[in-house]
Structures are given as C-alpha cells and as structure tokens.
Coordinates of all heavy atoms in Angstrom, one line a residue:
M1 N -10.2 -4.3 -0.1 CA -11.0 -3.2 0.4 C -11.0 -2.1 -0.7 O -9.9 -1.6 -1.1 CB -10.4 -2.7 1.7 CG -10.7 -1.3 2.0 SD -10.0 -0.7 3.5 CE -10.0 -2.1 4.6
P2 N -12.1 -1.8 -1.3 CA -12.1 -0.8 -2.4 C -11.9 0.6 -1.9 O -12.6 1.0 -0.9 CB -13.5 -1.0 -3.0 CG -14.3 -1.8 -2.0 CD -13.4 -2.4 -1.1
I3 N -11.0 1.3 -2.5 CA -10.7 2.7 -2.1 C -10.7 3.5 -3.4 O -10.1 3.1 -4.4 CB -9.3 2.8 -1.4 CG1 -9.3 2.0 -0.1 CG2 -8.9 4.2 -1.2 CD1 -8.0 1.9 0.6
A4 N -11.4 4.7 -3.3 CA -11.4 5.6 -4.4 C -10.3 6.7 -4.2 O -10.3 7.3 -3.1 CB -12.7 6.3 -4.6
V5 N -9.4 6.9 -5.2 CA -8.4 7.9 -5.1 C -8.9 9.0 -6.0 O -9.2 8.8 -7.1 CB -7.0 7.4 -5.6 CG1 -6.0 8.5 -5.5 CG2 -6.6 6.2 -4.7
V6 N -9.0 10.2 -5.4 CA -9.7 11.3 -6.0 C -8.8 12.6 -6.0 O -8.2 12.9 -5.0 CB -11.0 11.7 -5.3 CG1 -11.8 12.8 -5.9 CG2 -11.9 10.4 -5.2
K7 N -8.8 13.3 -7.1 CA -8.1 14.6 -7.2 C -9.2 15.6 -7.3 O -10.0 15.6 -8.2 CB -7.2 14.6 -8.4 CG -6.3 15.8 -8.5 CD -5.5 15.7 -9.8 CE -4.2 16.4 -9.6 NZ -3.3 16.3 -10.8
D8 N -9.2 16.6 -6.4 CA -10.3 17.6 -6.4 C -9.9 18.8 -7.3 O -8.9 18.7 -8.0 CB -10.6 18.1 -5.0 CG -9.5 19.0 -4.4 OD1 -8.5 19.3 -5.0 OD2 -9.7 19.4 -3.2
A9 N -10.8 19.7 -7.4 CA -10.6 20.9 -8.3 C -9.4 21.7 -8.0 O -8.8 22.3 -8.9 CB -11.8 21.8 -8.3
A10 N -8.9 21.6 -6.8 CA -7.7 22.4 -6.4 C -6.4 21.5 -6.6 O -5.3 22.0 -6.4 CB -7.8 22.8 -4.9
G11 N -6.6 20.3 -7.1 CA -5.4 19.4 -7.3 C -5.0 18.6 -6.1 O -4.0 17.9 -6.2
E12 N -5.7 18.7 -5.0 CA -5.4 17.9 -3.8 C -5.9 16.5 -4.0 O -7.0 16.2 -4.6 CB -6.1 18.5 -2.6 CG -5.5 18.0 -1.3 CD -6.0 18.8 -0.1 OE1 -6.5 19.9 -0.2 OE2 -5.7 18.3 1.0
I13 N -5.2 15.5 -3.5 CA -5.5 14.1 -3.6 C -6.1 13.5 -2.3 O -5.6 13.8 -1.3 CB -4.3 13.3 -4.1 CG1 -3.9 13.8 -5.5 CG2 -4.6 11.8 -4.2 CD1 -2.6 13.2 -6.0
F14 N -7.2 12.8 -2.5 CA -7.8 12.1 -1.3 C -8.0 10.7 -1.6 O -8.1 10.2 -2.7 CB -9.2 12.8 -1.1 CG -9.1 14.2 -0.8 CD1 -9.2 15.2 -1.8 CD2 -9.0 14.7 0.5 CE1 -9.1 16.5 -1.5 CE2 -9.0 16.0 0.8 CZ -9.0 17.0 -0.2
A15 N -8.2 9.9 -0.5 CA -8.5 8.5 -0.6 C -9.7 8.2 0.3 O -9.6 8.5 1.5 CB -7.4 7.6 -0.2
I16 N -10.8 7.8 -0.3 CA -12.0 7.5 0.5 C -12.6 6.1 0.2 O -12.2 5.6 -0.9 CB -13.1 8.5 0.4 CG1 -13.8 8.5 -1.0 CG2 -12.6 9.9 0.7 CD1 -15.0 9.4 -1.1
G17 N -13.4 5.6 1.0 CA -14.0 4.3 0.7 C -14.8 4.4 -0.6 O -15.5 5.4 -0.8
D18 N -14.7 3.4 -1.4 CA -15.2 3.4 -2.7 C -16.7 3.0 -2.8 O -17.3 3.0 -3.9 CB -14.4 2.6 -3.7 CG -14.8 2.7 -5.1 OD1 -15.1 3.8 -5.6 OD2 -14.8 1.7 -5.8
T19 N -17.3 2.6 -1.8 CA -18.7 2.0 -1.8 C -19.6 3.0 -1.2 O -19.5 3.3 0.0 CB -18.7 0.7 -1.1 OG1 -17.8 -0.2 -1.7 CG2 -20.1 0.1 -1.3
C20 N -20.6 3.5 -2.0 CA -21.7 4.3 -1.4 C -22.4 3.6 -0.3 O -22.7 2.5 -0.4 CB -22.7 4.7 -2.6 SG -24.0 5.8 -2.0
T21 N -22.6 4.4 0.8 CA -23.3 3.8 1.9 C -24.8 3.6 1.7 O -25.5 3.0 2.5 CB -23.0 4.6 3.2 OG1 -23.4 5.9 3.0 CG2 -21.5 4.5 3.6
H22 N -25.4 4.2 0.7 CA -26.8 4.1 0.4 C -27.0 2.8 -0.4 O -28.1 2.2 -0.3 CB -27.3 5.3 -0.4 CG -28.7 5.1 -0.8 ND1 -29.1 4.9 -2.1 CD2 -29.9 5.2 -0.1 CE1 -30.4 4.8 -2.2 NE2 -30.9 5.0 -1.0
G23 N -26.1 2.4 -1.2 CA -26.2 1.2 -2.0 C -24.8 0.7 -2.4 O -23.8 1.4 -2.2
D24 N -24.8 -0.5 -2.9 CA -23.5 -1.1 -3.2 C -23.0 -0.6 -4.6 O -23.0 -1.3 -5.6 CB -23.6 -2.6 -3.2 CG -22.3 -3.3 -3.2 OD1 -21.3 -2.7 -2.9 OD2 -22.3 -4.5 -3.7
I25 N -22.7 0.7 -4.7 CA -22.3 1.4 -5.9 C -20.9 1.9 -5.7 O -20.5 2.5 -4.7 CB -23.3 2.5 -6.2 CG1 -24.7 2.0 -6.3 CG2 -22.8 3.3 -7.4 CD1 -25.0 1.2 -7.5
S26 N -20.1 1.8 -6.8 CA -18.7 2.3 -6.7 C -18.7 3.9 -6.8 O -19.2 4.4 -7.8 CB -17.9 1.8 -7.9 OG -16.6 2.4 -8.0
L27 N -18.2 4.5 -5.8 CA -18.1 6.0 -5.9 C -17.0 6.5 -6.8 O -17.1 7.6 -7.3 CB -17.8 6.5 -4.5 CG -18.9 6.4 -3.4 CD1 -18.4 6.8 -2.1 CD2 -20.1 7.2 -3.9
S28 N -16.0 5.6 -7.2 CA -15.0 6.1 -8.1 C -15.5 6.4 -9.5 O -14.8 7.0 -10.3 CB -13.9 5.0 -8.1 OG -14.3 3.8 -8.7
E29 N -16.7 6.0 -9.8 CA -17.3 6.3 -11.1 C -18.2 7.5 -11.0 O -18.8 7.9 -12.0 CB -18.2 5.1 -11.5 CG -17.4 3.8 -11.7 CD -18.3 2.6 -12.1 OE1 -19.2 2.8 -12.9 OE2 -18.0 1.5 -11.7
G30 N -18.2 8.2 -9.8 CA -19.0 9.4 -9.6 C -18.3 10.7 -10.1 O -17.3 10.6 -10.9
F31 N -18.8 11.8 -9.7 CA -18.5 13.1 -10.1 C -17.8 13.9 -9.0 O -18.3 14.0 -7.9 CB -19.7 13.8 -10.6 CG -20.5 13.0 -11.6 CD1 -21.7 12.4 -11.2 CD2 -20.1 12.9 -12.9 CE1 -22.4 11.6 -12.0 CE2 -20.9 12.1 -13.8 CZ -22.0 11.5 -13.3
V32 N -16.6 14.5 -9.3 CA -15.9 15.3 -8.3 C -16.4 16.8 -8.6 O -16.3 17.3 -9.7 CB -14.4 15.2 -8.5 CG1 -13.7 16.1 -7.5 CG2 -14.0 13.7 -8.3
E33 N -16.8 17.4 -7.5 CA -17.1 18.8 -7.5 C -16.6 19.5 -6.3 O -17.0 19.1 -5.2 CB -18.6 19.0 -7.6 CG -19.0 20.5 -7.8 CD -20.5 20.6 -7.9 OE1 -21.2 19.7 -8.4 OE2 -21.0 21.7 -7.5
D34 N -15.7 20.4 -6.5 CA -15.0 21.1 -5.3 C -14.4 20.0 -4.4 O -13.5 19.3 -4.9 CB -16.0 22.0 -4.6 CG -16.5 23.1 -5.5 OD1 -15.7 23.6 -6.3 OD2 -17.7 23.5 -5.3
D35 N -14.9 19.9 -3.2 CA -14.3 18.9 -2.3 C -15.3 17.8 -1.9 O -15.3 17.3 -0.8 CB -13.8 19.6 -1.0 CG -15.0 20.3 -0.2 OD1 -16.1 20.4 -0.8 OD2 -14.7 20.7 0.9
T36 N -16.1 17.4 -3.0 CA -17.1 16.4 -2.8 C -17.0 15.4 -3.9 O -16.5 15.7 -5.0 CB -18.5 16.9 -2.7 OG1 -18.9 17.4 -4.0 CG2 -18.7 17.9 -1.6
L37 N -17.4 14.2 -3.6 CA -17.6 13.1 -4.6 C -19.0 12.7 -4.6 O -19.6 12.3 -3.6 CB -16.7 11.9 -4.3 CG -16.7 10.7 -5.2 CD1 -16.3 11.1 -6.7 CD2 -15.8 9.6 -4.8
E38 N -19.7 12.7 -5.8 CA -21.1 12.4 -5.9 C -21.3 11.0 -6.4 O -20.7 10.7 -7.5 CB -21.8 13.4 -6.8 CG -23.3 13.2 -6.9 CD -23.9 14.2 -7.8 OE1 -23.3 15.3 -8.1 OE2 -25.1 14.0 -8.2
C39 N -22.2 10.3 -5.8 CA -22.5 8.9 -6.3 C -23.3 9.1 -7.6 O -24.3 9.8 -7.6 CB -23.4 8.2 -5.2 SG -24.0 6.6 -5.8
W40 N -22.8 8.4 -8.6 CA -23.4 8.6 -9.9 C -24.8 8.0 -10.0 O -25.7 8.4 -10.8 CB -22.6 7.9 -11.0 CG -22.4 6.4 -10.9 CD1 -21.5 5.8 -10.1 CD2 -23.3 5.4 -11.4 NE1 -21.7 4.4 -10.2 CE2 -22.8 4.2 -11.0 CE3 -24.4 5.5 -12.2 CZ2 -23.4 3.0 -11.3 CZ3 -25.0 4.2 -12.5 CH2 -24.5 3.0 -12.1
A41 N -25.1 7.0 -9.1 CA -26.4 6.3 -9.2 C -27.5 7.0 -8.3 O -28.7 7.0 -8.7 CB -26.3 4.9 -8.7
H42 N -27.1 7.5 -7.2 CA -28.2 8.0 -6.2 C -28.1 9.5 -6.0 O -29.0 10.1 -5.4 CB -28.1 7.3 -4.9 CG -28.2 5.8 -5.0 ND1 -27.2 4.9 -4.7 CD2 -29.2 5.0 -5.5 CE1 -27.5 3.7 -5.0 NE2 -28.8 3.7 -5.4
G43 N -26.9 10.1 -6.3 CA -26.8 11.6 -6.2 C -26.3 12.0 -4.8 O -26.1 13.2 -4.6
S44 N -26.0 11.1 -3.9 CA -25.5 11.5 -2.6 C -24.1 12.1 -2.8 O -23.3 11.5 -3.5 CB -25.4 10.4 -1.6 OG -26.7 9.9 -1.3
K45 N -23.8 13.2 -2.1 CA -22.4 13.8 -2.2 C -21.7 13.5 -0.9 O -22.3 13.7 0.2 CB -22.5 15.3 -2.5 CG -23.0 15.6 -3.8 CD -23.0 17.1 -4.1 CE -23.4 17.5 -5.5 NZ -23.3 18.9 -5.7
F46 N -20.5 13.1 -1.0 CA -19.7 12.8 0.2 C -18.5 13.8 0.3 O -17.9 14.1 -0.7 CB -19.1 11.4 0.2 CG -20.2 10.3 0.2 CD1 -20.8 9.9 -0.9 CD2 -20.6 9.8 1.5 CE1 -21.8 8.9 -0.8 CE2 -21.6 8.8 1.5 CZ -22.2 8.4 0.4
S47 N -18.2 14.3 1.5 CA -17.1 15.1 1.7 C -15.8 14.3 1.5 O -15.7 13.2 2.1 CB -17.1 15.7 3.1 OG -15.9 16.3 3.4
L48 N -14.8 14.9 0.8 CA -13.6 14.2 0.6 C -12.7 14.3 1.8 O -11.8 13.4 2.0 CB -12.8 14.8 -0.6 CG -13.5 14.5 -2.0 CD1 -12.8 15.3 -3.1 CD2 -13.5 13.0 -2.3
T49 N -12.9 15.2 2.7 CA -12.1 15.4 3.9 C -12.7 14.6 5.1 O -11.9 14.2 5.9 CB -11.9 16.9 4.2 OG1 -13.2 17.5 4.4 CG2 -11.2 17.6 3.1
T50 N -14.0 14.5 5.2 CA -14.6 13.9 6.4 C -15.3 12.5 6.1 O -15.5 11.8 7.0 CB -15.6 14.8 7.0 OG1 -16.7 15.0 6.2 CG2 -15.0 16.1 7.4
G51 N -15.7 12.3 4.8 CA -16.4 11.1 4.4 C -17.9 11.2 4.7 O -18.7 10.4 4.3
K52 N -18.3 12.3 5.3 CA -19.7 12.5 5.7 C -20.6 12.8 4.4 O -20.2 13.5 3.6 CB -19.9 13.6 6.7 CG -19.3 13.3 8.0 CD -19.5 14.4 9.0 CE -18.9 14.1 10.3 NZ -19.0 15.2 11.3
P53 N -21.8 12.2 4.4 CA -22.7 12.5 3.3 C -23.3 13.9 3.5 O -23.6 14.3 4.6 CB -23.8 11.4 3.4 CG -23.8 11.0 4.8 CD -22.3 11.2 5.3
L54 N -23.3 14.7 2.4 CA -23.8 16.0 2.5 C -25.2 16.2 1.9 O -25.8 17.2 2.1 CB -22.8 17.0 1.8 CG -21.4 16.9 2.3 CD1 -20.4 17.8 1.4 CD2 -21.3 17.3 3.8
T55 N -25.6 15.1 1.2 CA -27.0 15.1 0.6 C -27.5 13.7 0.8 O -26.8 12.7 0.9 CB -27.0 15.5 -0.9 OG1 -26.1 14.6 -1.6 CG2 -26.5 16.9 -1.1
L56 N -28.8 13.6 0.8 CA -29.5 12.3 0.9 C -29.5 11.7 -0.5 O -29.2 12.4 -1.5 CB -31.0 12.5 1.3 CG -31.1 13.0 2.8 CD1 -32.6 13.4 3.0 CD2 -30.6 12.0 3.8
P57 N -29.7 10.4 -0.7 CA -30.3 9.5 0.3 C -29.3 8.9 1.3 O -29.7 8.2 2.3 CB -31.0 8.5 -0.5 CG -30.1 8.4 -1.8 CD -29.6 9.8 -2.0
A58 N -28.0 9.0 1.1 CA -27.0 8.4 2.0 C -27.0 9.2 3.3 O -27.2 10.4 3.3 CB -25.6 8.4 1.4
Y59 N -26.9 8.5 4.4 CA -26.8 9.1 5.7 C -25.7 8.6 6.6 O -25.4 9.1 7.7 CB -28.2 9.0 6.5 CG -28.6 7.6 6.7 CD1 -28.2 6.9 7.8 CD2 -29.4 7.0 5.8 CE1 -28.7 5.6 8.0 CE2 -29.9 5.7 5.9 CZ -29.5 5.0 7.1 OH -29.9 3.7 7.2
E60 N -25.0 7.6 6.1 CA -23.8 7.0 6.8 C -22.5 7.5 6.1 O -22.5 7.5 4.8 CB -23.8 5.5 6.8 CG -24.9 4.9 7.6 CD -24.7 5.1 9.1 OE1 -23.6 5.1 9.6 OE2 -25.7 5.3 9.8
P61 N -21.5 7.8 6.8 CA -20.2 8.3 6.1 C -19.4 7.1 5.5 O -19.7 5.9 5.8 CB -19.4 8.9 7.3 CG -19.9 8.2 8.5 CD -21.4 7.9 8.2
V62 N -18.5 7.4 4.7 CA -17.5 6.5 4.1 C -16.2 6.8 4.8 O -16.0 8.0 5.2 CB -17.4 6.6 2.6 CG1 -18.7 6.1 1.9 CG2 -17.0 8.0 2.1
P63 N -15.3 5.8 4.9 CA -14.0 6.1 5.6 C -13.1 7.0 4.7 O -13.2 6.9 3.4 CB -13.4 4.7 5.7 CG -14.1 3.8 4.8 CD -15.5 4.4 4.6
V64 N -12.3 7.8 5.3 CA -11.3 8.6 4.6 C -9.9 8.1 5.1 O -9.7 7.9 6.3 CB -11.5 10.1 4.9 CG1 -10.3 10.9 4.3 CG2 -12.8 10.6 4.5
Y65 N -9.0 7.8 4.2 CA -7.7 7.2 4.5 C -6.6 8.2 4.4 O -6.6 9.1 3.5 CB -7.5 6.0 3.6 CG -8.5 5.0 3.7 CD1 -9.6 4.9 2.8 CD2 -8.5 4.0 4.7 CE1 -10.6 4.0 2.9 CE2 -9.4 3.0 4.8 CZ -10.5 3.0 3.9 OH -11.5 2.1 4.0
A66 N -5.6 8.0 5.3 CA -4.4 8.9 5.2 C -3.6 8.4 3.9 O -3.5 7.3 3.6 CB -3.5 8.6 6.4
I67 N -3.1 9.4 3.2 CA -2.3 9.1 2.0 C -0.9 9.8 2.2 O -0.7 10.7 3.0 CB -2.9 9.6 0.7 CG1 -3.0 11.2 0.7 CG2 -4.3 9.0 0.5 CD1 -3.3 11.7 -0.6
E68 N 0.0 9.3 1.5 CA 1.4 9.8 1.4 C 1.8 9.8 0.0 O 1.6 8.8 -0.7 CB 2.3 9.0 2.3 CG 3.7 9.6 2.4 CD 4.6 8.8 3.3 OE1 4.2 7.8 3.9 OE2 5.8 9.2 3.3
I69 N 2.3 11.0 -0.5 CA 2.8 11.1 -1.9 C 4.3 11.1 -1.8 O 4.9 12.0 -1.2 CB 2.2 12.3 -2.6 CG1 0.7 12.2 -2.6 CG2 2.7 12.5 -4.0 CD1 -0.1 13.4 -3.1
V70 N 4.9 10.1 -2.5 CA 6.4 10.0 -2.5 C 6.8 9.9 -4.0 O 6.4 8.9 -4.6 CB 6.8 8.8 -1.7 CG1 8.4 8.7 -1.8 CG2 6.4 8.9 -0.2
D71 N 7.6 10.8 -4.4 CA 8.1 10.7 -5.8 C 7.0 10.5 -6.8 O 7.1 9.8 -7.8 CB 9.2 9.6 -6.0 CG 10.4 9.9 -5.1 OD1 10.8 11.1 -5.0 OD2 11.0 8.9 -4.7
G72 N 5.9 11.2 -6.6 CA 4.7 11.1 -7.6 C 3.8 9.9 -7.4 O 2.8 9.8 -8.0
G73 N 4.2 9.0 -6.5 CA 3.3 7.9 -6.2 C 2.4 8.1 -5.0 O 2.9 8.8 -4.0
V74 N 1.2 7.6 -5.0 CA 0.3 7.8 -4.0 C 0.3 6.5 -3.2 O 0.0 5.4 -3.7 CB -1.1 8.1 -4.5 CG1 -2.1 8.2 -3.3 CG2 -1.1 9.4 -5.3
F75 N 0.6 6.6 -1.9 CA 0.6 5.4 -1.0 C -0.5 5.6 0.1 O -0.7 6.6 0.7 CB 1.9 5.3 -0.3 CG 3.1 5.0 -1.3 CD1 3.7 6.1 -1.9 CD2 3.4 3.7 -1.6 CE1 4.7 5.8 -2.8 CE2 4.4 3.5 -2.5 CZ 5.1 4.5 -3.1
I76 N -1.3 4.5 0.2 CA -2.4 4.5 1.1 C -2.3 3.3 2.1 O -2.0 2.2 1.6 CB -3.8 4.3 0.4 CG1 -3.9 5.5 -0.6 CG2 -4.9 4.3 1.3 CD1 -4.9 5.2 -1.7
D77 N -2.4 3.5 3.4 CA -2.5 2.4 4.3 C -3.9 2.2 4.7 O -4.5 3.1 5.4 CB -1.6 2.8 5.6 CG -1.6 1.6 6.6 OD1 -2.4 0.7 6.4 OD2 -0.8 1.7 7.5
P78 N -4.6 1.2 4.2 CA -6.0 1.0 4.5 C -6.3 0.8 6.0 O -7.5 0.8 6.4 CB -6.4 -0.2 3.7 CG -5.1 -0.9 3.4 CD -4.0 0.1 3.4
A79 N -5.3 0.5 6.8 CA -5.5 0.3 8.2 C -5.6 1.7 9.0 O -6.0 1.7 10.1 CB -4.4 -0.5 8.8
V80 N -5.2 2.8 8.3 CA -5.2 4.1 8.9 C -6.2 5.0 8.3 O -6.1 5.4 7.2 CB -3.8 4.7 8.8 CG1 -3.8 6.1 9.4 CG2 -2.7 3.8 9.3
T81 N -7.3 5.2 9.1 CA -8.3 6.2 8.7 C -8.2 7.5 9.4 O -7.8 7.5 10.6 CB -9.8 5.6 8.9 OG1 -9.9 5.3 10.3 CG2 -10.0 4.4 8.0
I82 N -8.5 8.6 8.7 CA -8.4 9.9 9.4 C -9.8 10.4 9.7 O -10.0 11.3 10.4 CB -7.6 10.9 8.5 CG1 -8.2 11.0 7.1 CG2 -6.2 10.5 8.5 CD1 -7.5 12.1 6.3
A83 N -10.8 9.7 9.1 CA -12.2 10.1 9.4 C -13.1 8.9 9.1 O -12.9 8.2 8.2 CB -12.7 11.3 8.6
V84 N -14.2 8.7 9.9 CA -15.2 7.8 9.6 C -16.5 8.3 10.1 O -16.6 8.9 11.1 CB -15.0 6.4 10.2 CG1 -16.2 5.5 10.0 CG2 -13.8 5.7 9.5

C-alpha cells in the first residue's frame, strides 16, 4: 500500500495515501504548501489532516494514517486510518 510521508511548513509530519484519486499518480512527488499536498500532474490539492481534495479535478479523498514518532523514527500502521 503506497503511503506518502509528508512534513508540512510547520514541521509536522503526516502520512496519507500516495495515489491521487483523479489519476494513478504518486502524490509523494507533489508539492507541499502549508497543510496541503498538491498532485504534480493534475494540480489537485489534498488536505494533510483530512485527505479531502480542496481543488479539482480530484473529488474523492485519500486516506490519512495515524503515525507515531519514536526516537526520531516514523511508524505507520496502514490498518489504522484517521480520515478517509
């Protein structure tokens, strides 16, 4: 399951589904701005906290996963989503 691990402008770390819901494009290659991740191919911006698309052409959300930071390591349980 592809997951994008993202650090926002404030230094907070998020884990969201790595596949744009508009097309089969990796979001981890996109652009982080404030608390959003923008798909490099289509321009849809997704909220890092909710996974909801904030701009078209995407209209379906991506999953957001719970993370735990322990001794500088980021741990993600792909079975635990906090938003979809």
Side-chain angles (χ1 to χ4, degrees):
M1 161 180 324
I3 297 174
V5 178
V6 181
K7 188 180 213 181
D8 71 5
E12 194 169 350
I13 298 175
F14 298 90
I16 69 170
D18 187 38
T19 306
C20 180
T21 56
H22 175 254
D24 193 22
I25 301 294
S26 173
L27 290 174
S28 63
E29 297 178 39
F31 311 100
V32 178
E33 184 177 332
D34 299 323
D35 62 348
T36 66
L37 180 59
E38 181 179 346
C39 176
W40 65 270
H42 304 115
S44 292
K45 290 184 179 182
F46 294 88
S47 167
L48 293 173
T49 57
T50 67
K52 293 181 181 178
L54 304 175
T55 60
L56 294 173
Y59 57 89
E60 293 291 326
V62 293
V64 177
Y65 301 96
I67 66 167
E68 185 177 358
I69 300 174
V70 178
D71 295 327
V74 178
F75 296 87
I76 303 163
D77 183 350
V80 179
T81 57
I82 55 175
V84 171

